[in-house]
Amino acid sequence: MRSVALVSALAAVAAASPAGAVPQKRQTSITPITVKGNAFFKGNERFYVRGIAYQPGGSSANIDPLADPKVCLPDIAKFKKLGVNVVRVYSIDNSGVSHDECMNALADAGIYLTVDANNPKYSINRETPAPSYNHAYLQSVFAVIDEFAKYDNTMAFFSGNEVIHDEPETTLSARYVKATTRDMRAYIKARGYRQIPVGYSAADVTDNRRQTADYFNCGTDEERSDFFAFNDYSWCNTDIVTSGWDQKVKNFTGYGLPIFLSEYGCTANGRDFGEIEALMSKEMTHVYSGGLMYEYTMEENKFGIVQITVPKDDPKDQTGARKELPEFANLQKAMSKYPAPKGDGGFTSNTKAQDCPPKDDKWLIEGSRLPAMPAEAKKFFDNGAGKGPGLDGPGSQWAGPAGSEDENSDSGSADQGDDNSSAASLHKAPLFVSGLVAMFTLVGALAL
């Protein structure tokens, strides 16, 4: 009788799942992070990002630190000592290597992951964005999602990092990053994964900061991001007023989506990490949801707080001894001294869209029109992305014809009206979730 009932439950879930979806067994045991209004939540508890950027070897090394337990495990011990609850990883090997041991160790430590879905070889080119938005690029992005959607401590995916910069021409790349965001959200839905937030990590450029934020939160629910993050190095051991953070809070009040700092940690005047006190204060928590200190390992740019001994003949070998630098203790002290506040922090329970920014000499995009998803990428929605190219693949930035996918395309996903190729709003629970909850409830009852 138990086996018959279990088969019936599984059949019910299959009927409730989107076509082609393959619900995956959870690989970690931790409460997933969700979005409510303009904040993140862990169950019914407000969640603040109190994290650190994790990029051993720096961007040039292009290393996945979660693919090798000999790298991640000693660092996770340091993360626990620091008291961080989120790490950001910039490069992921999506070629089939297992991340189970590192992700489970992070979960056991109560630590979540924000994942950059791009890497230096597979990303949108800010100078020539059209040909870099292609099926090979999306296959790599979707393969990252396939690998990390199974972990409950995957907090969020970044669809891009500092693609839009201080030159006005780079704002044209925003259309392609936003299209990627749309496609990622649509893919997550089509594959029947839980609702994992997707958003953009922006550069802190005064000329286009607000335009960028508004652009990623304008248009239809399918096109809008689930959060907005930006890298901010304006606090240099000062205070909330001198740094200008008070004005940024004022400017982003009423924005309608969660906001957090995807990088912070100016080194120009020493670092006592007073940013944490401000981020956890009532002056900011009604708008901001914390931030990620840049960065964990000491690299050529001199932002790190831990030195890894690296062989001269193999700079990618990050398994050497770890030495805590003086600023490690400073961050540990600040994390302990300024804990996450109790209560809801004054968040806004409702989300809302912004108007798309008008075209001007600093922002060169007019309206909300997005490129259509490349036709060759549609098959991934039904079949999955398959094995990704990894970090040593040929690259994708010139894999598409310049402008061909952009011509005569409308906003939204590739197939308008097809429920498997357009993302639902993150704040609307799909039928799949209800079916999955029902299955687990029944399975638990049958086990009694």
Side-chain angles (χ1 to χ4, degrees):
M1 291 297 292
R2 291 183 179 180
S3 60
V4 171
L6 180 58
V7 169
S8 298
L10 293 171
V13 172
S17 302
V22 183
Q24 292 184 312
K25 179 182 177 182
R26 299 269 70 82
Q27 297 296 311
T28 50
S29 179
I30 192 171
T31 303
I33 302 303
T34 58
V35 169
K36 296 179 184 179
N38 75 332
F40 296 107
F41 278 78
K42 180 181 179 181
N44 293 320
E45 178 184 351
R46 177 82 185 269
F47 183 83
Y48 296 92
V49 177
R50 297 165 55 83
I52 195 165
Y54 183 39
Q55 191 176 206
S59 59
S60 60
N62 198 25
I63 293 170
D64 177 359
L66 302 182
D68 187 350
K70 294 191 298 294
V71 175
C72 76
L73 294 182
D75 294 330
I76 292 171
K78 298 289 188 186
F79 299 154
K80 291 174 65 177
K81 185 176 180 179
L82 286 168
V84 302
N85 64 359
V86 178
V87 296
R88 177 183 182 179
V89 172
Y90 294 79
S91 294
I92 290 296
D93 186 343
N94 57 14
S95 64
V97 63
S98 174
H99 296 86
D100 287 355
E101 189 167 351
C102 292
M103 287 300 292
N104 279 304
L106 286 170
D108 290 343
I111 298 173
Y112 293 84
L113 176 72
T114 57
V115 188
D116 282 70
N118 298 266
N119 65 62
K121 288 188 174 182
Y122 293 85
S123 55
I124 297 297
N125 188 314
R126 68 166 63 102
E127 296 180 357
T128 52
S132 64
Y133 175 65
N134 54 65
H135 74 285
Y137 165 64
L138 289 177
Q139 193 261 344
S140 179
V141 168
F142 295 161
V144 171
I145 294 174
D146 286 344
E147 175 60 16
F148 283 88
K150 62 191 174 188
Y151 303 113
D152 282 340
N153 56 330
T154 298
M155 175 185 167
F157 292 108
F158 287 118
S159 57
N161 179 59
E162 294 193 341
V163 183
I164 304 130
H165 228 270
D166 52 2
E167 297 177 357
E169 291 75 14
T170 67
T171 64
L172 295 171
S173 65
R175 299 178 66 237
Y176 300 90
V177 180
K178 186 171 179 176
T180 301
T181 306
R182 173 203 65 198
D183 299 343
M184 291 172 67
R185 296 178 71 241
Y187 184 79
I188 288 169
K189 181 194 174 188
R191 300 305 300 161
Y193 299 139
R194 68 177 173 87
Q195 294 174 316
I196 305 172
V198 180
Y200 176 60
S201 170
D204 186 28
V205 178
T206 302
D207 287 343
N208 60 41
R209 182 195 312 114
R210 184 60 202 235
Q211 292 98 316
T212 300
D214 287 348
Y215 186 71
F216 281 91
N217 191 22
C218 75
T220 66
D221 284 347
E222 289 76 21
E223 298 165 347
R224 294 165 58 212
S225 295
D226 298 314
F227 64 85
F228 181 73
F230 63 99
N231 304 335
D232 190 334
Y233 292 89
S234 58
W235 181 302
C236 299
N237 254 15
T238 52
D239 55 65
I240 193 169
V241 175
T242 305
S243 65
W245 282 22
D246 61 330
Q247 294 303 308
K248 291 175 184 176
V249 171
K250 181 179 178 180
N251 292 337
F252 280 117
T253 296
Y255 176 65
L257 293 179
I259 293 175
F260 67 97
L261 299 183
S262 39
E263 292 176 6
Y264 72 83
C266 172
T267 61
N269 193 31
R271 294 199 289 183
D272 63 11
F273 302 109
E275 296 100 319
I276 298 173
E277 179 183 14
L279 287 168
M280 298 297 109
S281 72
K282 63 182 180 180
E283 284 75 26
M284 295 193 72
T285 57
H286 62 294
V287 177
Y288 283 54
S289 290
L292 295 151
M293 196 285 292
Y294 186 86
E295 64 180 322
Y296 176 70
T297 55
M298 180 61 75
E299 308 298 342
E300 291 182 3
N301 55 15
K302 305 300 182 183
F303 280 82
I305 60 173
V306 168
Q307 183 74 60
I308 297 179
T309 301
V310 179
K312 292 183 179 180
D313 60 346
D314 187 4
K316 289 197 173 188
D317 182 350
Q318 300 292 316
T319 61
R322 271 73 174 146
K323 178 184 177 182
E324 297 175 8
L325 302 176
E327 288 181 350
F328 184 99
N330 293 353
L331 181 61
Q332 182 184 17
K333 179 179 178 180
M335 285 286 182
S336 176
K337 186 176 181 180
Y338 307 114
K342 303 294 183 182
D344 64 19
F347 91 109
T348 302
S349 59
N350 296 321
T351 183
K352 68 175 184 178
Q354 298 292 315
D355 293 332
C356 291
K359 182 179 179 180
D360 58 27
D361 61 343
K362 302 294 185 182
W363 185 263
L364 305 186
I365 298 174
E366 185 171 9
S368 61
R369 185 183 177 96
L370 297 180
M373 188 177 74
E376 290 181 77
K378 295 178 184 179
K379 61 186 177 183
F380 303 133
F381 282 65
D382 291 326
N383 304 324
K387 182 179 179 180
L391 298 174
D392 298 317
S396 65
Q397 294 199 358
W398 299 101
S404 65
E405 296 292 352
D406 186 42
E407 300 300 327
N408 302 316
S409 61
D410 295 320
S411 295
S413 298
D415 291 326
Q416 294 294 318
D418 182 348
D419 203 42
N420 281 342
S421 59
S422 64
S425 169
L426 184 69
H427 315 291
K428 300 176 183 177
L431 180 60
F432 162 69
V433 173
S434 299
L436 189 58
V437 170
M439 183 197 77
F440 285 131
T441 301
L442 181 54
V443 171
L446 291 172
L448 298 175

